[in-house]
Amino acid sequence: MVADFHVFEVIAGSLGVVGASLVFLTFLLLPRFRRHPSEIIFFVTVSDFFLALKFLIRGLTWLSHPSGYSVDENRSFHLFDDGCATSIVWSALFETASLAWNAIWCFHMCVQLYYPQRNTRQLMKGYAVYVVAVLLADILYQVLGSKRAVVATGEGYRFCSLTPDDFVNKAVLFDYILAMFHIFVAVVSVLMTISKLGCGYNEETSSLARRHYSYAFVFIFLWLTEKSFAFGEASRTFHLIIAVMWQAQGFFVAIVRLSEPQLASSLYKKMSRKKRKAAVAHLLLPNTNTSEEDALLGGMGDHHCSSSDDDDDD
């Protein structure tokens, strides 16, 4: 099962990219599902997309060269002979951004629960400043304060990593402390949500509570276990399972996101409607004028789509 991790890396990267792409579609096609504070989820999705893309590219590149590379070649993504600099910066950027925005989402949940009348939109600037500061600190620490090289495992898996990859390396320790802080924020948000909502007191609050618990559990479990490998040993199979799930985290975020009431059905209807419009436009005669085409497409939308679709139009 652990014989060639790059195969699983491609699978995980693909799932993460697909999941993040589905969430992108909700923002692109459904305006009412991108209202504040959904932009926080958008930033999480951007981070997860590019993080998953790294694993997908790295796995595909390695598998496309059956002979592989020498472990002495410090290539980012097995492509760029740059001493692993691009890979390390890429990871520091999108891992840290994902951590920070996930924790901000959990923190924002608490703010909304305890200060429901507050205009929380004004907090977004502060969130952005915090994320940028954390990103700069982590990137500079990893690039300037640590060595990096390709690490080889006994299973044929090779990847760029900070060296050494334990707490002797202060950059690894800093990254771990940063992760534990953001995980702590998520844990506190769960406890505060339980205190405020419990399992919910009506259908709407029950749905909200379940989604937050699911979201926080995915975030806490994946990041806590993945980062804990820096100081603890685990079976190779367990490490593989966690690594694959962590690399595909965008997929799990998408599952939670699409569980919002009416979101998945609205997305499906919207996409179906666009396909119908495209099909009708293709079948129209070349001499059909613009006003006739608009009338036909508008008529189809009014006839076939529910009022919820109309609400989603830009």
Side-chain angles (χ1 to χ4, degrees), residues 37-306:
S38 293
E39 62 266 40
I40 298 176
I41 293 296
F42 177 80
F43 293 131
V44 171
T45 303
V46 170
S47 304
D48 289 345
F49 177 86
F50 285 103
L51 188 58
L53 188 63
K54 168 191 172 178
F55 303 123
L56 177 59
I57 294 173
R58 188 170 71 184
L60 287 174
T61 305
W62 181 268
L63 294 175
S64 67
H65 294 76
S67 60
Y69 298 100
S70 167
V71 71
D72 297 325
E73 295 178 348
N74 295 342
R75 295 174 179 263
S76 294
F77 311 113
H78 304 307
L79 285 173
F80 312 118
D81 191 8
D82 60 352
C84 286
T86 302
S87 180
I88 295 301
V89 170
W90 190 287
S91 294
L93 177 61
F94 294 112
E95 280 188 31
T96 307
S98 180
L99 263 171
W101 282 114
N102 272 300
I104 286 170
W105 175 258
C106 293
F107 172 80
H108 196 85
M109 175 71 172
C110 297
V111 174
Q112 289 186 307
L113 283 177
Y114 283 83
Y115 303 97
Q117 303 303 320
R118 179 174 181 174
N119 179 14
T120 56
R121 190 180 296 274
Q122 60 189 354
L123 297 176
M124 289 303 301
K125 290 183 179 179
Y127 293 157
V129 170
Y130 170 77
V131 172
V132 170
V134 170
L135 287 176
L136 289 176
D138 198 35
I139 291 174
L140 290 175
Y141 216 132
Q142 292 198 25
V143 172
L144 302 178
S146 64
K147 297 180 180 180
R148 51 192 179 274
V150 166
V151 175
T153 68
E155 292 77 34
Y157 178 43
R158 293 172 171 81
F159 60 98
C160 286
S161 177
L162 299 175
T163 55
D165 59 351
D166 54 33
F167 290 158
V168 174
N169 187 332
K170 292 183 179 180
V172 174
L173 177 60
F174 177 76
D175 190 55
Y176 178 81
I177 293 173
L178 203 61
M180 293 305 107
F181 168 72
H182 290 116
I183 290 170
F184 173 76
V185 172
V187 171
V188 171
S189 80
V190 170
L191 296 177
M192 293 180 71
T193 304
I194 292 174
S195 173
K196 194 71 173 179
L197 292 182
C199 294
Y201 42 82
N202 56 38
E203 184 176 350
E204 182 179 358
T205 56
S206 295
S207 176
L208 175 64
R210 287 195 302 269
R211 291 199 311 277
H212 184 66
Y213 298 148
S214 299
Y215 185 94
F217 173 78
V218 168
F219 171 61
I220 294 167
F221 175 75
L222 291 181
W223 283 93
L224 181 62
T225 50
E226 173 63 22
K227 292 301 180 181
S228 295
F229 292 135
F231 69 89
E233 295 292 332
S235 70
R236 292 174 177 175
T237 300
F238 178 71
H239 198 161
L240 170 65
I241 293 172
I242 295 301
V244 169
M245 293 177 65
W246 178 76
Q247 291 176 0
Q249 60 188 284
F251 177 76
F252 298 106
V253 171
I255 292 176
V256 177
R257 172 67 172 169
L258 293 174
S259 70
E260 291 188 33
Q262 299 182 347
L263 193 151
S265 60
S266 296
L267 182 61
Y268 174 77
K269 290 177 182 178
K270 190 75 171 183
M271 293 177 68
S272 299
R273 184 183 180 189
K274 286 185 177 293
K275 288 180 179 179
R276 292 196 299 270
K277 286 184 176 182
V280 171
H282 179 72
L283 292 174
L284 287 173
L285 295 176
N287 61 353
T288 303
N289 60 45
T290 303
S291 60
E292 291 174 334
E293 180 179 333
D294 291 342
L296 181 55
L297 296 182
M300 280 196 63
D302 294 339
H303 181 69
H304 291 286
C305 297
S306 64

